[in-house]
């Protein structure tokens, strides 16, 4: 079956550049002030050239340079269109993460005043990172922020009027430019993940998603796409059972990035890719069902991560595998009570067809550990509503059979702001999914729904370090931040990139 085609085109992306400090003669300039206000160097120079207009405006507006305070001075003189002063509070205590968020806030402010270009002063007195790294971090935040998904508007937004370029000033511009390359790669991966999650399900059905993944081969990723016939041969009855009610065929996509020696075991990332989740015969209520176009956010994250790692030429061997299915309803859809046989040989009684993500992941996890013998497996899935009941939308649920891996993920989460909170796994929970006829059932009881889902996944993991991230609350309908204003956050790309960079690169 064919879907409609998207006319969503990747718009020309904002240009981010770095230059040595100088006093601009025209344009929109962003400068900084510490608490006081104590103007930064460029701010002071502009104030002098504009005969004290900046400090006068600060006084009139009660701007004291407190963190997150901004002062917008229009046509202050000296030829400038606008000078935006951002308060830093105490710049000497700003950490890397706060600098990146500040970059997002700067881009947001430039957009809000409809600037087409911006020049940003060097950050004063920052201690946590070097000046060039600070400039690169500002660029990272700005790049993440300016994401748009507007390809479906028939009236095209005037791209000439959009924010098209930001220049960040810093003493060693060449060094900042170099540091920025990795951030730009990560940004590209994050934006790909957001795009995939934002796409509607009539456009991004399994084969269409697979085609988007296949396009990563241009970035040096090796991409294989398995058809239903191949999956059937492998015995993936659990995944195929979910797919059988849909007019769209399922796909299993395996992406590989080989950035290290052949002898190095790969790390593996696995994503739930349910391109739409109606619930199946255990149908979902109408209210909010449209959000289930994002039920492939785990797969989107894995795809975005592979792009980011390939773009920055990560020195690591990485496997990304995504199970792509639609959970639909028709006369051939699987029924509550059906028993399916997974690739592992274990049988599953499908008591609720809406607990489909775990059925998809069961076969993909088994396949990946069997074929690739990875150092670890991390899967991502918008798996349960229950994880939002437990943790809200600020933390993903983290389940793991390995304390070291869990600790590394937690730390990378704090560093990137993509936070994950560890949840328990234990035999007492595991027995809740035993079944009298089949080896297991696909739902637990009324309580601990995110945990019993994780226990289910663990039954398809052997002796390999494994972690499961339940991203139902963080990947879509996400909490807005200075680096993301989109419904789809691209959650996990920055976190997992950081995990790889910190621990698994030669
Ligand atoms: N995709 C949903 C989980 C979900 C719900 C993600 C809301 C994001 C927002 C998943 O397939 C599902 O339906 N889970 C059920 C499991 C239940 C039937 C045991 C749920 O959470 O209700
Ligand atoms: Mn479901
Ligand atoms: Zn689902």
């Amino acid at each position: 079956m064919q879907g409609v085609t998207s006319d969503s085109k990747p718009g020309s992306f904002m240009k981010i550049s770095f230059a040595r400090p100088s006093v601009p003669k025209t344009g929109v300039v962003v400068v900084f002030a510490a608490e006081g206000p104590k103007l930064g160097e460029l701010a002071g120079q502009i104030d002098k050239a504009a005969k004290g207009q900046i400090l006068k405006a600060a006084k009139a507006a009660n701007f004291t340079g407190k963190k997150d305070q901004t002062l917008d001075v229009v046509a202050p003189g000296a030829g400038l269109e606008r000078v935006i002063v951002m308060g830093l509070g105490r710049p000497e205590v700003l950490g890397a993460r706060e600098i990146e968020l500040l970059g997002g806030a700067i881009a947001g402010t430039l957009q809000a005043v409809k600037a087409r270009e911006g020049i940003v002063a060097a950050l004063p007195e920052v201690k946590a990172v070097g000046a060039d790294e600070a400039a690169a971090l500002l660029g990272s935040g700005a790049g993440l922020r300016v994401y748009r998904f507007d390809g479906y508007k028939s009236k095209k937004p005037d791209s000439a009027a959009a924010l098209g370029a930001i220049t960040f000033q810093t003493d060693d511009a060449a060094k900042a430019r170099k540091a920025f390359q990795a951030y730009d790669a990560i940004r590209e991966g994050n934006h790909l993940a957001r795009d995939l999650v934002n796409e509607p399900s009539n456009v991004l059905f399994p084969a269409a998603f697979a085609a988007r993944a296949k396009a990563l081969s241009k970035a040096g990723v090796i991409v294989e796409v398995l058809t239903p016939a191949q999956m059937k041969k492998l015995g993936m009855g659990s995944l195929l059972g979910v797919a059988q009610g849909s007019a769209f065929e399922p796909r299993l996509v395996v992406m590989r990035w080989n950035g290290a020696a052949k002898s190095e075991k790969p790390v593996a990332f696995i994503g739930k890719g349910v391109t739409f989740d109606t619930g199946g015969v255990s149908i979902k209520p109408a209210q909010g069902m449209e959000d289930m176009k994002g039920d492939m956010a785990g797969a989107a994250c894995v795809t975005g991560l592979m792009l980011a790692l390939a773009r920055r030429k990560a020195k690591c061997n990485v496997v990304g595998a995504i199970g792509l299915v639609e959970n639909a309803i028709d006369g051939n859809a699987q029924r509550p009570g059906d028993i399916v046989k997974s690739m592992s040989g274990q049988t599953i009684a499908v008591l609720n067809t809406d607990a489909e993500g775990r059925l998809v992941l069961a076969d993909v996890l088994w396949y990946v550990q069997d074929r690739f013998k990875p150092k670890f497996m991390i899967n991502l899935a918008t798996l349960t509503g229950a994880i939002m009941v437990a943790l809200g939308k600020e933390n993903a649920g983290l389940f793991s059979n390995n304390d070291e891996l869990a600790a590394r993920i937690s730390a990378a989460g704090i560093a990137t702001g993509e936070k994950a909170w560890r949840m328990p796994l234990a035999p007492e929970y595991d027995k809740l999914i035993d079944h009298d006829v089949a080896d297991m059932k696909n739902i637990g009881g009324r309580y601990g729904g995110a945990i019993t889902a994780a226990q289910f996944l663990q039954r398809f993991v052997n002796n390999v370090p494994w972690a499961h991230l339940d991203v139902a609350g963080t990947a879509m309908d996400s909490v807005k931040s200075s680096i993301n204003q989109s419904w789809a956050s691209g959650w996990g790309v920055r976190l997992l990139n950081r995990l790889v960079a910190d621990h698994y690169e030669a």
Side-chain angles (χ1 to χ4, degrees):
M1 184 183 180
Q2 293 297 303
V4 308
T5 42
S6 163
D7 63 349
S8 154
K9 289 193 190 71
S12 58
F13 192 71
M14 181 177 75
K15 187 167 183 300
I16 291 175
S17 46
F18 299 89
R20 289 185 51 80
S22 66
V23 183
K25 298 279 178 286
T26 57
V28 179
V29 187
V30 178
V31 296
F32 302 106
E35 178 89 68
K38 181 180 169 221
L39 297 183
E41 193 172 332
L42 183 61
Q45 288 166 340
I46 290 174
D47 187 52
K48 208 165 152 204
K51 302 196 169 60
Q53 277 306 315
I54 305 298
L55 279 177
K56 253 188 235 166
K59 197 155 185 209
N62 289 315
F63 175 89
T64 60
K66 260 203 207 67
K67 189 156 184 302
D68 301 328
Q69 237 186 348
T70 59
L71 173 72
D72 179 16
V73 192
V74 180
L80 298 171
E81 264 172 61
R82 206 161 201 143
V83 175
I84 297 164
V85 192
M86 311 279 295
L88 299 177
R90 296 175 54 211
E92 68 277 10
V93 304
L94 289 182
R97 166 94 183 113
E98 285 157 309
I99 296 169
E100 193 174 47
L101 288 169
L102 177 63
I106 289 169
T109 305
L110 288 169
Q111 285 177 319
V113 302
K114 297 196 159 43
R116 295 172 54 188
E117 282 180 36
I119 300 160
V120 182
L123 264 178
E125 296 169 59
V126 164
K127 294 260 156 37
V129 294
D132 39 285
E133 177 69 12
L137 280 164
L138 287 178
S140 172
L144 288 163
R145 169 63 178 255
V146 299
Y147 173 81
R148 290 185 316 199
F149 188 75
D150 52 15
Y152 290 98
K153 293 281 188 197
S154 58
K155 214 171 139 202
K156 295 296 162 214
D158 181 5
S159 63
L163 178 60
I166 306 182
T167 303
F168 294 92
Q169 296 192 348
T170 184
D171 281 326
D172 197 338
K175 220 170 149 194
R177 206 170 290 130
K178 182 98 208 307
F180 177 69
Q181 280 178 3
Y183 290 116
D184 202 37
I186 299 158
R187 192 271 313 157
E188 203 184 332
N190 168 282
H191 284 189
L192 172 60
R194 291 186 198 175
D195 272 350
L196 291 167
V197 174
N198 279 325
E199 284 288 2
S201 305
N202 59 332
V203 173
L204 203 75
F205 47 92
F209 192 141
R212 299 255 188 132
K214 189 90 198 174
L216 265 56
S217 51
K218 275 182 261 149
V221 179
I222 302 158
V223 186
E224 282 168 76
V225 180
L226 276 66
T227 61
Q230 289 169 297
M231 289 187 262
K232 195 163 174 206
K233 219 164 156 190
L234 287 161
M236 296 187 169
S238 184
L239 183 154
L240 290 169
V242 177
Q244 78 188 27
S246 174
F248 294 116
E249 283 185 353
R251 294 287 186 268
L252 171 60
V253 178
V254 180
M255 297 166 270
R256 276 177 294 162
W257 167 253
N258 295 323
K262 243 195 165 135
S263 56
E264 275 293 312
K265 280 205 227 165
V267 299
F269 300 96
I270 290 121
K272 168 179 173 181
V274 175
T275 62
F276 192 77
D277 181 11
T278 65
V281 171
S282 313
I283 194 168
K284 286 183 180 297
Q287 175 86 39
M289 201 203 274
E290 66 276 13
D291 280 1
M292 287 300 112
K293 73 171 185 177
D295 208 20
M296 29 52 72
C301 172
V302 171
T303 309
L305 175 67
M306 295 305 292
L307 179 61
L309 295 173
R311 281 275 195 259
R312 70 169 184 79
K313 307 224 177 312
K315 293 184 178 61
C316 183
N317 293 336
V318 188
V319 173
I322 54 178
L324 302 169
V325 306
E326 183 184 57
N327 188 23
I329 328 164
D330 82 348
N332 190 42
Q334 74 181 341
R335 294 143 290 264
D338 282 5
I339 295 179
V340 295
K341 187 167 178 182
S342 66
M343 184 183 172
S344 73
Q346 299 174 96
T347 57
I348 305 159
V350 181
L351 298 195
N352 189 318
T353 64
D354 196 13
E356 85 297 341
R358 63 199 76 180
L359 297 172
V360 174
L361 289 171
D363 279 337
V364 185
L365 284 166
W366 190 266
Y367 175 78
V368 168
Q369 94 189 329
D370 202 47
R371 176 170 168 197
F372 296 106
K373 317 274 182 278
K375 270 186 202 152
F376 67 68
M377 297 197 288
I378 297 176
N379 71 259
L380 298 102
T382 47
L383 203 65
T384 67
I387 198 63
M388 289 186 267
V389 176
L391 296 176
K393 297 185 73 76
E394 292 285 352
N395 276 271
L398 163 61
F399 300 83
S400 183
N401 62 2
N402 185 286
D403 291 343
E404 183 185 58
L405 181 61
R408 288 175 172 181
I409 293 171
S410 297
I414 289 165
T416 55
E418 294 182 343
K419 298 183 293 294
W421 195 263
R422 192 153 181 200
M423 299 279 289
L425 289 165
E428 296 76 22
Y429 296 112
D430 183 74
K431 69 171 192 267
L432 299 175
I433 57 171
D434 285 338
H435 188 254
D436 52 353
V437 177
D439 294 330
M440 70 194 88
K441 53 187 178 182
N442 75 331
I443 48 172
R446 181 160 152 68
Y447 301 120
I451 304 172
T452 46
Q455 294 291 166
F456 183 96
L457 298 181
Q458 196 179 14
R459 290 197 183 197
F460 299 86
V461 176
N462 291 329
N463 272 328
V464 51
W466 158 78
H468 153 52
L469 290 162
D470 193 334
V471 299
T474 53
M476 55 178 164
D477 189 20
S478 45
V479 180
K480 305 288 183 283
S481 77
S482 89
I483 57 169
N484 179 48
Q485 297 285 308
S486 170
W487 182 78
S489 62
W491 194 97
V493 174
R494 295 169 56 254
L495 161 72
L496 296 175
N497 169 77
R498 181 70 180 243
L499 175 76
V500 170
D502 283 354
H503 301 288
Y504 302 96
E505 287 191 59

